[in-house]
């Protein structure tokens, strides 16, 4: 299997977040939406079924272990009005510029598989970080056993995207938010996590996490569907 490359630089950036009032944008929905629209051509509206928790730049990891690097930064974070799920939007979508493509050999279209593989293998105890002697590269791992990929008309209809990756994170009760209040809430009531990557060729990737209660997990599809047409890729957008 090919080596996994994870974007762990975001953890270095996070060390400065809490001492600043802003990193990429002010800590409010309006600024976040403007940033996504202007820089990445992605617009979104907030479903009526959720409320905002006023949380931005929140670090999340698959495992609370310094040796395991898989994770990302999220916010805004929402709570469904029935309190059966927490929805975490990315603080910044995943995107690699052409310059980074050349320097690091990373291709945007390959990123979702690499990031998702890293998260799942970390959850399974097979992966720590790139180059770690603890990685179990010999273990059998089939991406398709864990991930559902939706392509064709459906992604285009609901997000103007090309593909959607959906997966349940194994042993999700062991994930970790670095924000104390969000982590307390998650640990007490939300032991399940579903990842959703929304992808469009040549564009940034939306990485959304939904955390469920036991009751909410049984209605998972309903909560995922509440995102339909609330996230949209603008075809007229071009990167500078």
């Amino acid at each position: 299997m090919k080596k996994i490359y994870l974007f762990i630089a975001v953890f270095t950036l996070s060390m400065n977040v809490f001492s600043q009032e802003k990193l990429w944008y002010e800590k409010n929905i309006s600024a976040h939406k403007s940033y996504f629209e202007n820089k990445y051509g992605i617009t979104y509206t907030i479903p009526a079924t959720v409320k905002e928790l006023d949380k931005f730049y929140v670090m999340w990891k698959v495992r609370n272990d310094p040796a395991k690097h898989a994770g990302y930064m999220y916010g805004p974070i929402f709570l469904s009005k029935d309190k059966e799920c927490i929805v975490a939007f990315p603080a910044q979508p995943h995107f690699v510029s052409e310059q980074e493509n050349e320097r690091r050999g990373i291709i945007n279209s390959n990123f979702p598989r690499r990031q998702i593989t890293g998260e799942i293998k970390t959850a399974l105890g097979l992966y720590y970080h790139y180059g770690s002697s603890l990685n179990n590269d010999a273990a059998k791992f089939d991406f398709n056993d864990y991930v559902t990929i939706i392509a064709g008309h459906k992604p285009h209809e609901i997000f103007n995207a090309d593909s959607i990756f959906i997966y349940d994170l194994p042993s999700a009760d062991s994930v970790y938010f670095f924000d104390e209040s969000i982590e307390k809430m998650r640990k007490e009531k939300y032991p399940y996590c579903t990842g959703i990557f929304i992808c469009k060729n040549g564009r940034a990737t939306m990485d959304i996490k939904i955390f469920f209660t036991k009751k909410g997990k049984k209605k998972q599809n309903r909560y995922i569907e509440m995102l339909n047409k609330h996230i949209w890729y603008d075809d007229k957008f071009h990167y500078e």
Side-chain angles (χ1 to χ4, degrees):
M1 180 175 181
K2 293 182 178 180
K3 294 176 181 178
I4 304 167
Y5 294 84
L6 296 177
F7 291 110
I8 61 173
V10 69
F11 290 98
T12 303
L13 287 172
S14 71
M15 296 175 66
N16 298 318
V17 169
F18 302 104
S19 62
Q20 299 177 6
E21 291 188 1
K22 66 177 182 177
L23 183 57
W24 299 299
Y25 43 81
E26 299 285 350
K27 295 179 182 180
N28 61 69
I29 285 288
S30 178
H32 185 267
K33 291 175 72 171
S34 294
Y35 177 77
F36 271 49
E37 181 175 1
N38 295 330
K39 189 170 180 64
Y40 298 103
I42 299 172
T43 60
Y44 71 85
T45 55
I46 302 170
T49 51
V50 304
K51 62 179 182 179
E52 183 196 349
L53 296 181
D54 194 29
K55 295 290 183 178
F56 297 86
Y57 302 122
V58 177
M59 294 305 304
W60 170 88
K61 288 185 70 178
V62 175
R63 291 292 181 267
N64 186 22
D65 180 341
K68 297 179 179 180
H69 293 177
Y72 202 59
M73 184 185 286
Y74 293 90
I77 297 175
F78 308 94
L79 177 67
S80 64
K81 291 183 177 179
D82 62 10
K83 298 184 179 179
E84 299 298 342
C85 74
I86 298 170
V87 182
F89 274 30
Q92 185 180 48
H94 297 289
F95 181 72
V96 184
S97 67
E98 291 184 7
Q99 291 79 6
E100 284 294 283
N101 279 339
E102 294 176 1
R103 187 173 68 85
R104 301 169 62 182
I106 299 171
I107 302 173
N108 276 308
S109 60
N110 293 338
F111 177 80
R113 284 181 175 271
R114 288 174 172 173
Q115 179 69 15
I116 294 168
T117 297
E119 291 182 9
I120 295 174
K121 291 189 74 174
T122 298
L124 293 172
L126 303 176
Y127 185 75
Y128 283 74
H129 59 82
Y130 175 61
S132 172
S133 61
L134 298 174
N135 294 344
N136 187 353
D137 296 327
K140 182 179 179 181
F141 177 81
D142 188 336
F143 185 86
N144 295 318
D145 287 342
Y146 295 90
V147 184
T148 298
I149 304 173
I150 304 171
H153 176 72
K154 189 69 173 178
H156 182 77
E157 177 187 8
I158 61 178
F159 299 125
N160 195 28
D162 294 315
S163 58
I164 305 168
F165 295 72
I166 302 175
Y167 59 102
D168 290 334
L169 197 65
S171 303
D173 57 332
S174 296
V175 305
Y176 185 77
F177 278 108
F178 283 73
D179 180 279
E180 185 176 344
S181 62
I182 295 293
E183 175 58 18
K184 184 175 185 293
M185 182 190 304
R186 183 210 63 77
K187 191 172 183 178
E188 289 178 351
K189 289 188 61 178
Y190 304 88
Y192 305 97
C193 175
T194 295
I196 304 169
F197 276 55
I198 304 169
C199 312
K200 189 175 180 68
N201 294 337
R203 302 285 293 276
T205 294
M206 288 288 286
D207 166 7
I208 296 169
K209 296 292 191 298
I210 305 181
F211 303 85
F212 296 102
T213 63
K214 185 175 182 179
K215 181 179 177 181
K217 181 63 176 174
K218 295 177 181 178
K219 300 180 288 184
Q220 169 176 308
N221 289 342
R222 191 184 87 182
Y223 293 107
I224 293 175
E225 288 171 0
M226 73 182 175
L227 298 173
N228 290 6
K229 296 188 178 180
H230 283 279
I231 297 169
W232 198 258
Y233 284 84
D234 181 2
D235 280 333
K236 297 179 180 179
F237 177 80
H238 296 285
Y239 293 106
E240 294 181 359

